[in-house]
Amino acid sequence: DTGVSQDPRHKITKRGQNVTFRCDPISEHNRLYWYRQTLGQGPEFLTYFQNEAQLEKSRLLSDRFSAERPKGSFSTLEIQRTEQGDSAMYLCASSLFQGGTGELFFGEGSRLTVL
Amino acid sequence: QQQVKQSPQSLIVQKGGIPIINCAYENTAFDYFPWYQQFPGKGPALLIAIRPDVSEKKEGRFTISFNKSAKQFSLHIMDSQPGDSATYFCAAGQGAQKLVFGQGTRLTINP
């Protein structure tokens, strides 16, 4: 399967714990995006990378959130000191950005439940 | 200015009918308008996308109509099937970057 892969698919944690999600994009894709989706809502942009550079972070991304894409391939999204409001589906997408555009391909998401 | 408003929130159509989902945007800098389909437990999958230089685009049973002056676009599904039952999201962005999504429409196609 050469699609976008996310791990873990489900994570249940207690409030105050740290969690980390991993995303493996489609191999030749240079852009990688993180979105958050809560129940009954559309995905909300969090941040994106071009290769290893983080180009933009949403104001939704508090200081407790950090994302990396160290070698321009896979990415991690870490949430420190989780809160119940962090419960959501965290979606990763990748694209081959060329000529000012590039279709986003989404993974199946990592669902976080904070107790 | 970054919002994309989508309606209706839910829609029930008989098999063979033509569900229509509408979206409106505010940011005139947006130049890429995709529609995504999402099944429960899955990530969104791109169905069809349009740019503002055309007023209509068809791919199979899916058609996007685009009205630049009204800043609105819509998705039509021809000959709808029960397998089309899913949540549909419109989105908008500049060059497919940093898409802003609508709130979604839960579509049910009854047999």
Side-chain angles (χ1 to χ4, degrees):
Chain A
D1 183 16
T2 57
V4 177
S5 177
Q6 292 190 244
D7 184 70
R9 294 292 313 282
H10 303 275
K11 179 72 176 178
I12 300 173
T13 191
K14 293 182 179 179
R15 189 177 56 186
Q17 298 295 305
N18 298 343
V19 295
T20 299
F21 300 113
R22 175 179 170 125
C23 172
D24 287 273
I26 295 171
S27 60
E28 65 270 22
H29 284 186
N30 53 2
R31 285 207 170 176
L32 186 147
Y33 301 78
W34 286 100
Y35 283 79
R36 179 171 67 189
Q37 185 176 26
T38 53
L39 203 61
Q41 301 295 315
E44 294 176 297
F45 169 80
L46 293 179
T47 187
Y48 81 102
F49 295 82
Q50 174 141 333
N51 301 315
E52 66 274 11
Q54 188 172 20
L55 296 188
E56 188 170 345
K57 291 172 60 173
S58 164
R59 281 174 288 182
L60 292 175
L61 218 60
S62 76
D63 290 346
R64 297 184 296 105
F65 288 71
S66 63
E68 294 183 341
R69 193 182 184 199
K71 296 182 179 179
S73 57
F74 73 92
S75 175
T76 57
L77 177 69
E78 181 183 17
I79 309 173
Q80 296 183 327
R81 305 182 302 283
T82 52
E83 301 173 356
Q84 288 185 326
D86 297 330
S87 295
M89 176 78 84
Y90 291 85
L91 292 164
C92 177
S94 70
S95 72
L96 178 61
F97 188 75
Q98 288 180 328
T101 191
E103 174 187 332
L104 269 65
F105 292 85
F106 282 86
E108 296 197 334
S110 293
R111 181 168 295 283
L112 173 65
T113 301
V114 181
L115 301 176
Chain B
Q1 244 204 341
Q2 292 298 316
Q3 281 189 322
V4 176
K5 295 182 179 178
Q6 183 172 345
S7 64
Q9 284 189 310
S10 64
L11 184 57
I12 300 173
V13 172
Q14 290 299 117
K15 177 183 172 183
I18 305 176
I20 301 172
I21 305 170
N22 300 298
C23 281
Y25 64 98
E26 298 171 353
N27 189 340
T28 54
F30 289 155
D31 63 359
Y32 177 74
F33 304 90
W35 284 90
Y36 283 82
Q37 180 188 56
Q38 187 174 31
F39 292 105
K42 302 291 186 180
L46 179 68
L47 268 180
I48 185 172
I50 197 169
R51 294 196 176 273
D53 52 343
V54 296
S55 59
E56 186 176 277
K57 182 175 181 180
K58 292 183 182 180
E59 284 187 5
R61 295 184 295 109
F62 300 96
T63 299
I64 299 181
S65 297
F66 185 82
N67 185 330
K68 186 175 180 178
S69 60
K71 292 187 285 185
Q72 294 176 348
F73 57 110
S74 60
L75 176 70
H76 302 230
I77 305 176
M78 306 301 175
D79 187 27
S80 57
Q81 302 295 315
D84 296 328
S85 297
T87 300
Y88 291 80
F89 294 97
C90 63
Q94 290 178 256
Q97 304 175 67
K98 202 182 78 171
L99 295 175
V100 179
F101 283 81
Q103 289 193 308
T105 297
R106 180 175 289 184
L107 175 64
T108 302
I109 307 298
N110 285 332

